[in-house]
């Protein structure tokens, strides 16, 4: 009997999507009190927007409850989806990111991190840009033939060059830190507010037996 053709999804990249419980919304007034860097000497607003002066926000005592919850989600993602053999994670850097009207964030990834994430807060407006994830072959100097696509290629997960997530306050996204992403230009009259962070295993990376161990 002839086998019917099938499509297999090879090496898919997972994106963890959830919402934070409402009880953590009490931290939002504290977020808005944080000092933001806006001078060109410290931040390139045209390509990155504004970020908080404190780049270890989730290490502060005021954020301890939120930090504990997010790390629980990180560990769940790491162990049950990515199947990493690390029992505990900790934050690298964590910072607030504001995109004022007209600002954007150029395409990038997060080096020196294993799992990165973003939490959205602020105005409830679906027109505020959230995040675009990019296919690696379209973002780097990879030897790759540029094919001619059909006009509706965006409807196919195999042909799409990017994947967008809509903005929604309370949304928490986790993803492997190597995944390239960007923020489209903010064409609204509102400020796009988010908390971004990187996370790493508490004890270090790699394995002793394969001579790849890196202890912290």
């Amino acid at each position: 009997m002839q086998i019917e053709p099938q499509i297999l999804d090879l090496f898919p990249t997972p994106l963890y999507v959830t919402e934070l419980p409402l009880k953590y919304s009490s931290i939002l007034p504290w977020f808005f009190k944080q000092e933001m860097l806006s001078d060109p000497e410290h931040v390139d607003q045209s390509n990155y927007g504004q970020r908080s002066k404190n780049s270890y926000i989730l290490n502060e005592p005021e954020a301890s409850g939120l930090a504990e919850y997010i790390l629980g989600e990180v560990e769940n993602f790491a162990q049950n989806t990515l199947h990493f053999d690390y029992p505990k994670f900790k934050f690298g850097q964590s910072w607030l990111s504001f995109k004022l009207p007209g600002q954007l964030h150029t395409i990038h990834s997060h080096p020196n991190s294993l799992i990165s994430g973003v939490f959205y807060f602020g105005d409830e407006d679906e027109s505020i840009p959230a995040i675009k994830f990019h296919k690696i072959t379209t973002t780097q100097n990879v030897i790759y033939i540029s094919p001619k696509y059909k006009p509706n290629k965006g409807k196919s997960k195999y042909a799409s060059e990017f994947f967008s997530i809509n903005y929604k306050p309370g949304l928490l996204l986790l993803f492997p830190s190597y995944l390239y992403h960007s923020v489209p230009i903010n064409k609204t009259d509102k400020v796009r507010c988010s908390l971004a962070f990187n996370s790493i295993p508490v004890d270090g990376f790699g394995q002793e037996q394969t001579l790849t161990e890196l202890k912290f």
Side-chain angles (χ1 to χ4, degrees):
M1 180 181 295
Q2 184 176 357
I3 298 176
E4 288 295 320
Q6 58 179 318
I7 301 296
L8 303 179
D9 291 332
L10 297 182
F11 317 123
T13 302
L15 172 64
Y16 189 97
V17 183
T18 188
E19 290 189 36
L20 262 67
L22 286 176
K23 65 179 181 179
Y24 295 109
S25 62
S26 60
I27 198 174
L28 299 186
W30 182 74
F31 279 173
F32 286 114
K33 291 179 181 178
Q34 299 305 302
E35 181 180 355
M36 304 297 290
L37 292 175
S38 58
D39 58 291
E41 184 178 348
H42 293 94
V43 61
D44 180 3
Q45 290 192 69
S46 61
N47 289 309
Y48 301 102
Q50 295 185 348
R51 71 166 177 84
S52 57
K53 182 177 180 180
N54 184 351
S55 62
Y56 292 90
I57 287 288
L58 290 173
N59 289 10
E60 297 296 332
E62 292 87 346
S64 60
L66 176 63
E68 182 179 3
Y69 178 84
I70 291 178
L71 282 179
E73 298 298 290
V74 167
E75 290 161 4
N76 177 33
F77 181 45
Q79 296 162 12
N80 299 317
T81 300
L82 298 171
H83 287 258
F84 291 155
D85 191 15
Y86 300 116
K88 288 293 181 182
F89 277 71
K90 63 181 179 180
F91 292 112
Q93 289 182 282
S94 54
W95 60 98
L96 299 176
S97 177
F98 288 177
K99 303 293 184 288
L100 278 60
Q103 294 183 338
L104 52 79
H105 201 133
T106 55
I107 186 170
H108 64 287
S109 62
H110 291 213
N112 300 330
S113 175
L114 200 56
I115 294 175
S116 296
V118 61
F119 163 64
Y120 298 111
F121 62 96
D123 291 314
E124 190 91 42
D125 188 336
E126 292 183 357
S127 60
I128 296 176
I131 194 168
K132 289 175 69 174
F133 293 100
H134 298 261
K135 187 185 295 184
I136 186 67
T137 51
T138 61
T139 59
Q140 295 295 292
N141 294 322
V142 178
I143 298 176
Y144 181 66
I145 301 299
S146 180
K148 180 181 180 181
Y149 285 108
K150 294 181 178 180
N152 64 345
K153 70 171 184 175
K155 296 181 180 180
S156 168
K157 64 180 178 181
Y158 303 108
S160 298
E161 296 178 357
F162 61 85
F163 180 80
S164 296
I165 294 288
N166 292 332
Y167 176 88
K168 183 180 180 181
L171 195 67
L172 173 67
L173 306 178
L174 304 176
F175 49 90
S177 298
Y178 61 77
L179 186 59
Y180 278 79
H181 52 286
S182 65
V183 178
I185 188 169
N186 182 4
K187 297 181 179 180
T188 73
D189 59 356
K190 298 180 174 62
V191 178
R192 175 194 183 276
C193 304
S194 65
L195 165 72
F197 55 86
N198 294 321
S199 63
I200 55 178
V202 168
D203 296 326
F205 293 111
Q207 297 178 338
E208 181 180 4
Q209 60 268 34
T210 59
L211 305 181
T212 58
E213 188 172 56
L214 175 61
K215 289 187 175 181
F216 300 140

